[in-house]
Amino acid sequence: MSLNITMARPTTDGTLTFRDVPPGVDASAGGESTRQWLYSSQIVRDLGAVYLPRLADDRLVVPPEETVAFLRECARVLAELPAVPAAPPPTSRPTSSTSNAA
């Protein structure tokens, strides 16, 4: 499963009208594991992020009036990206090992 960015506009009745992604724009925000290890990581929280950590548990809806604050948060995290640890290795199933020792 992948994490994607979807643009939507709120309507007067409280629903959302979803917009098509413009041609040539990549709407990918990483794999589903990115939600857990990056967006909700302590280092991202230590950078003062309040929007991105919400992705750990739910979808993120940024109201139009908060878009600038969200973009600033993204820029802050991107600026510190070299300090963010690499993704942990995928969880693997334990394997049983047998020993041939006598």
Side-chain angles (χ1 to χ4, degrees):
M1 186 181 289
S2 63
L3 202 54
N4 293 307
I5 298 168
T6 304
M7 296 186 327
R9 179 167 293 232
T11 61
T12 55
D13 66 359
T15 61
L16 296 174
T17 301
F18 291 92
R19 311 287 301 236
D20 290 333
V21 176
V25 173
D26 181 7
S28 173
E32 183 66 24
S33 63
T34 304
R35 177 187 300 262
Q36 299 301 319
W37 71 264
L38 175 60
Y39 297 134
S40 64
S41 70
Q42 189 60 48
I43 193 162
V44 168
R45 292 175 193 274
D46 289 347
L47 291 170
V50 293
Y51 295 98
L52 293 172
R54 293 184 206 163
L55 286 168
D57 301 315
D58 201 1
R59 68 184 183 138
L60 174 64
V61 176
V62 179
E65 64 274 11
E66 295 179 28
T67 302
V68 172
F70 174 65
L71 292 174
R72 284 187 185 131
E73 179 173 301
C74 291
R76 199 167 43 248
V77 170
L78 284 172
E80 297 295 328
L81 205 53
V84 176
T91 305
S92 58
R93 294 188 317 220
T95 58
S96 63
S97 59
T98 57
S99 174
N100 291 335

